[in-house]
Amino acid sequence: MIPSIHKRGSKTVGLIRYLYGPGTHEEHVDPHLVAAFDPLTPDPGRDPGATYAQLERLLNQPVNALAESKRPEKHVWHLSVRASPEDPILSDEDWAAIARRTVAATGIAPDGDEKACRWAAVRHTDDHIHIIATLVRDDGRRPRLHNEAHRAQAEARRIEVDYGLRRVAPGDGTAAKRPTSAERHKAKRLGQEAPSKELLREHVRRALAGAADETEFFDRLAAEGVRIKKRVAPSGDVLGYNVAVVGDHNKDREPIWYAGSTLAPDLSLPRIRKRFVTAKEAEAQPTDLPLSGTSAPARARYAAARTADVALTSLTAEDDGTAAAHLIGVGEVIDALAQTSPSTGRAELRAAARHFERATRSHTRAKNEEMHALRRAARQIVHSGGALGRGQEGAATALILDVMILAVIAAARWHAARGHAQQAEAAQLAARHLRTAYQATATGPLTSLRAYAERVPAADRQRHTTTVRAALPDLVDRLQSEPGWEALTAVIDQAERAGFDTAALLVKAAGEREFGSAGSASDVLVWRLNRLGYVTTPTRRSKPTPSPVPAPAVPAAPQYEVVRPHRR
């Protein structure tokens, strides 16, 4: 159950007209009163003799009793309470009880307070109610509404328990504000895929992913097609920034601007600046991409996978400040991948990035310098350009997605262990989208590997099986039972032909991390061996000599070699 406090207003009758009206898209059905401060409150929805003006006069009576100079300009308080889609439809009596509990918890009308504010609760659809109140008590004083949003959320959690409703994860005040219903309806009118605030938040995140400095950030943001207005001090220093969607105007045809801090708590300019490295730090860091001999997008993804592996360790072994920094870096890598990966998985990656940005924010203070390695990885991915969905680049994309899934699962566990319920849930949702993107991306490379495995002579296949059984005795039965076993056989064969000690390589790959969270242990090993093949020098040459691999029925070479030694 989600309670949402809306902006305060100055016209009671305007909100009443909206609550009892047809709605922006004729979505209001049977608007009627379910509860109010007085049982005799007129209901314009079901009482033909009641009018909007009557209800307005009754609610505004304490306001109008004050001298005009003492009346608060924004005296209309508005809160909506919405049930989850999977919740049962509640009765009017249930919603009436929920309304009374909510106004009591927020301080609008505390239990037993006969001089409290006047309020009314209107229901115009099955799944939610709106509460309107005027912010002058019957005794002429103002209500105490300190932290009423937090108190409304706390009461909603108790209501969920009492009514057997879906339990919404409690927040910690670090979430971005949800768009209002008016913003959602306006987005539909403009033909936007999401409200302007959400679109701008995504644009800012994408522009920030791996940006080296403020100049690059603003240049990339402008390239996204976003309107930018900087707040500049008399000294010429930039104090902050505002952004707007082209075509989103107010009634005076002026752009509707949003400050970065309005989009999300961590998108203010001072918070963004903490992500950038200093010129001295930038000079001290390597700027060239490793793994020469491959395409730039593939090199960037292999390098990012290696960096993300380090971050994975911090999410289980190091201090919270380092882990919090790595969460921010992981978020930037996902944003970078969403911009540059093949179209087959791009929509899922964008969805994963939107969910995971919630998991990057908590009250744990990040050690900013610890995020720089992942931010550089994100920068390399962005600057390397778009990756193809096939061949070496397809394999490299599948590899980094495999690592990102593990990182996001680790993030969910990290947050859950610290009671960050919303962040843990967001990370879990991100992992689902990453898995879908991985499946779409990995299909081609794994199909090619299986085709390669079919051409490996039986004697070599048996030798590879024996190697796996000796190196991974506790895992071999699971590996052989999975569809990915053929692909793994192909990678082992290629590794042997490249001169690797395949048993040692398997032990090293399996020892990097547990397989409990892996959907397919064989797929995980395929990508770990793939990565190790690019960053490890072979320790011996091909012994025993593999049998020749018969040519494929169609005379064409494999699309790529999964394992190859790093040329130094």
Side-chain angles (χ1 to χ4, degrees):
M1 180 162 285
I2 304 295
S4 300
I5 296 179
H6 303 267
K7 291 182 179 179
R8 296 182 184 183
S10 57
K11 295 185 178 180
T12 307
V13 73
L15 180 54
I16 291 173
R17 290 183 185 279
Y18 168 74
L19 297 181
Y20 280 98
T24 310
H25 300 280
E26 305 293 329
E27 70 273 23
H28 296 179
V29 180
D30 187 23
H32 60 280
L33 204 70
V34 294
F37 76 103
D38 185 340
L40 300 179
T41 299
D43 180 8
R46 290 188 174 176
D47 182 354
T51 65
Y52 298 157
Q54 286 176 330
L55 181 55
E56 179 199 27
R57 282 195 298 271
L58 184 62
L59 292 174
N60 276 356
Q61 199 170 55
V63 179
N64 295 332
L66 296 175
E68 191 167 345
S69 61
K70 294 185 178 181
R71 296 173 189 171
E73 180 183 357
K74 300 289 186 180
H75 66 271
V76 182
W77 187 84
H78 177 204
L79 177 143
S80 59
V81 185
R82 185 180 299 272
S84 296
E86 60 269 33
D87 286 339
I89 296 177
L90 301 174
S91 67
D92 280 354
E93 291 73 21
D94 290 334
W95 279 117
I98 290 169
R100 293 188 186 96
R101 290 177 62 165
T102 302
V103 293
T106 55
I108 289 293
D111 289 335
D113 189 343
E114 296 181 357
K115 299 295 184 180
C117 296
R118 299 189 176 193
W119 60 276
V122 178
R123 182 183 189 183
H124 51 213
T125 57
D126 286 337
D127 64 351
H128 71 277
I129 59 170
H130 290 260
I131 300 174
I132 177 175
T134 45
L135 297 179
V136 176
R137 294 163 46 89
D138 273 3
D139 57 12
R141 295 186 294 118
R142 305 288 179 84
R144 294 182 178 180
L145 297 180
H146 175 68
N147 213 14
E148 80 265 34
H150 175 76
R151 285 184 277 153
Q153 292 287 349
E155 187 61 29
R157 304 292 81 78
R158 291 187 283 268
I159 290 170
E160 290 161 359
V161 174
D162 293 344
Y163 285 84
L165 307 177
R166 181 200 169 202
R167 304 286 295 278
V168 176
D172 60 2
T174 61
K177 290 185 178 179
R178 295 173 179 268
T180 65
S181 58
E183 289 171 336
R184 290 194 297 270
H185 292 150
K186 185 175 184 180
K188 289 183 179 179
R189 293 199 306 272
L190 295 175
Q192 297 176 176
E193 62 179 88
S196 293
K197 188 183 297 182
E198 292 188 344
L199 292 177
L200 290 168
R201 187 183 307 131
E202 187 168 356
H203 283 308
V204 171
R205 277 201 341 265
R206 285 203 296 254
L208 183 57
D213 52 35
E214 199 169 314
T215 300
E216 182 181 358
F217 165 64
F218 282 122
D219 286 347
R220 285 168 58 180
L221 191 54
E224 290 266 342
V226 174
R227 302 187 68 165
I228 305 169
K229 181 173 65 175
K230 299 179 184 178
R231 298 197 305 277
V232 183
S235 63
D237 295 331
V238 179
L239 302 177
Y241 72 101
N242 294 69
V243 287
V245 172
V246 174
D248 187 7
H249 303 98
N250 60 19
K251 61 181 180 181
D252 298 321
R253 305 300 298 169
E254 298 171 336
I256 298 178
W257 297 99
Y258 295 87
S261 58
T262 303
L263 301 178
D266 57 339
L267 295 183
S268 66
L269 190 56
R271 295 282 294 275
I272 284 176
R273 283 171 172 158
K274 292 181 179 180
R275 301 195 189 191
F276 301 140
V277 298
T278 65
K280 184 177 181 180
E281 289 172 325
E283 291 175 3
Q285 300 299 335
T287 56
D288 58 315
L289 292 177
L291 314 172
S292 60
T294 61
S295 69
R299 292 201 308 272
R301 282 157 172 74
Y302 281 115
R306 187 168 53 183
T307 304
D309 271 332
V310 177
L312 265 168
T313 302
S314 78
L315 290 173
T316 57
E318 296 187 26
D319 64 274
D320 284 358
T322 298
H326 283 162
L327 290 176
I328 295 171
V330 167
E332 291 201 23
V333 171
I334 297 174
D335 272 312
L337 291 169
Q339 299 176 59
T340 60
S341 290
S343 58
T344 51
R346 195 172 299 164
E348 292 294 334
L349 284 171
R350 287 184 61 187
R354 283 195 295 270
H355 285 297
F356 194 72
E357 66 97 18
R358 178 68 187 97
T360 63
R361 294 193 303 273
S362 69
H363 288 299
T364 303
R365 179 171 295 183
K367 292 182 178 178
N368 296 312
E369 66 279 4
E370 297 292 343
M371 71 178 74
H372 291 167
L374 280 166
R375 294 200 73 250
R376 284 194 300 275
R379 176 180 174 80
Q380 290 170 354
I381 290 171
V382 170
H383 284 271
S384 69
L388 300 175
R390 62 184 184 275
Q392 190 183 73
E393 293 175 10
T397 300
L399 166 64
I400 184 60
L401 290 180
D402 179 69
V403 177
M404 285 294 102
I405 290 169
L406 292 173
V408 169
I409 291 172
R413 292 173 176 172
W414 186 86
H415 280 301
R418 288 152 184 80
H420 306 163
Q422 285 189 359
Q423 290 92 330
E425 182 178 13
Q428 290 167 353
L429 291 172
R432 293 179 194 172
H433 289 287
L434 285 172
R435 284 192 180 99
T436 304
Y438 164 79
Q439 290 163 0
T441 304
T443 298
L446 291 175
T447 299
S448 296
L449 282 173
R450 285 192 289 270
Y452 178 100
E454 290 175 357
R455 303 193 303 275
V456 175
D460 291 349
R461 292 167 64 93
Q462 182 57 47
R463 187 173 65 257
H464 300 327
T465 301
T466 302
T467 299
V468 175
R469 186 170 299 280
L472 309 175
D474 296 334
L475 197 59
V476 63
D477 290 339
R478 175 181 174 182
L479 294 171
Q480 286 188 295
S481 67
E482 292 179 346
W485 170 252
E486 292 296 315
L488 180 59
T489 299
V491 175
I492 295 171
D493 188 80
Q494 292 179 349
E496 183 180 77
R497 291 172 184 278
F500 285 100
D501 180 341
T502 52
L505 207 62
L506 281 164
V507 171
K508 184 175 182 180
E512 288 186 343
R513 205 162 298 107
E514 51 80 30
F515 289 88
S517 58
S520 169
S522 52
D523 283 4
V524 171
L525 279 176
V526 163
W527 304 125
R528 289 184 190 173
L529 291 171
N530 188 317
R531 178 178 57 78
L532 288 173
Y534 274 94
V535 299
T536 307
T537 302
T539 56
R540 63 171 175 81
R541 287 300 159 187
S542 305
K543 292 180 181 180
T545 302
S547 305
V549 177
V554 179
Q559 286 184 318
Y560 61 92
E561 280 223 345
V562 176
V563 178
R564 54 186 285 174
H566 174 36
R567 296 187 179 92
R568 296 190 180 275

